[in-house]
Amino acid sequence: DGGITQSPKYLFRKEGQNVTLSCEQNLNHDAMYWYRQDPGQGLRLIYYSQIVNDFQKGDIAEGYSVSREKKESFPLTVTSAQKNPTAFYLCASSTPYRGGLGTEAFFGQGTRLTVV
Amino acid sequence: DQQVKQNSPSLSVQEGRISILNCDYTNSMFDYFLWYKKYPAEGPTFLISISSIKDKNEDGRFTVFLNKSAKHLSLHIVPSQPGDSAVYFCAASGSSAGNMLTFGGGTRLMVKP
């Protein structure tokens, strides 16, 4: 089955620690994304990568870092510099742009990170 | 500047009635629009889409309407069911954005039995 897998589903972190969220896809998509969702809020883009070994900051990249060493994997590290890391994190990948068919994003099931 | 906006953060509808969720966009280069449905603690799932060459697309109880001149799209759910209660996101893509989707802020739909 093709899809996106995020792990773990729940994650607890002590203040001052870095933590890495995993995202793996077997859809053969070039583009991958990380979003953050806070209660009652929409999806805010943290980082995105359109090709291996390349990535760009989204709207709220401060306190986060990513790597894209393999097409299938796009891990997100939440660093101690992130002031308010408790949130629901979503990873996605998207099809290439297909002219009149646009692009479609596929999401993982999310990771809920809680700072204790 | 938000390019895709959902101005109603929440909507409450009685079971069996019509639910209408609205979305406005500002970028005239967008040519493909999607709706996603999201339950709590889960990832969004694709619901329905429409290309800018159409003004309507139906899939069962779900219909999306596109008004290009007004840069407005809407999602109609008829009849609404309690299981439709979720957050709905509209999204847009276009040639200038390549494979990037721009999402609206979401509308929480509550269907009351």
Side-chain angles (χ1 to χ4, degrees), chain A residues 42-43, chain B residues 2-10 21-25 34-36 72-73 75 87-91 102-108:
Chain A
L43 304 176
Chain B
Q2 277 188 297
Q3 296 188 64
V4 179
K5 287 185 181 179
Q6 294 175 253
N7 291 317
S8 299
S10 65
L21 293 89
N22 294 304
C23 179
D24 297 295
Y25 62 96
L34 308 91
W35 284 93
Y36 283 82
H72 176 85
L73 63 153
L75 174 68
V87 177
Y88 290 79
F89 291 97
C90 69
T102 302
F103 284 89
T107 296
R108 180 177 301 279

Side-chain angles (χ1 to χ4, degrees), chain A:
Chain A
D1 278 326
I4 299 182
T5 302
Q6 287 185 244
S7 61
K9 190 167 177 65
Y10 299 97
L11 189 57
F12 296 89
R13 188 197 92 175
K14 291 183 180 179
E15 281 197 40
Q17 284 183 339
N18 292 356
V19 65
T20 298
L21 283 61
S22 170
C23 179
E24 304 277 332
Q25 55 102 357
N26 60 4
L27 299 167
N28 200 33
H29 289 163
D30 286 314
M32 296 186 73
Y33 314 82
W34 276 104
Y35 293 91
R36 168 178 171 146
Q37 186 186 26
D38 294 283
Q41 302 288 317
L43 304 176
R44 293 190 290 169
L45 183 64
I46 304 172
Y47 266 98
Y48 64 99
S49 167
Q50 296 192 309
I51 198 167
V52 173
N53 292 323
D54 187 44
F55 47 83
Q56 287 81 40
K57 293 181 179 180
D59 301 320
I60 55 165
E62 186 176 350
Y64 298 98
S65 66
V66 293
S67 63
R68 188 82 189 277
E69 297 176 2
K70 298 186 300 181
K71 188 175 186 176
E72 301 80 19
S73 179
F74 191 39
L76 173 74
T77 297
V78 185
T79 75
S80 56
Q82 169 49 235
K83 297 287 186 277
N84 186 19
T86 295
F88 188 60
Y89 291 86
L90 284 160
C91 179
S93 68
S94 68
T95 62
Y97 181 72
R98 304 162 295 181
L101 293 179
T103 187
E104 183 178 338
F106 296 81
F107 286 85
Q109 287 300 295
T111 294
R112 180 163 299 283
L113 173 64
T114 304
V115 173
V116 296

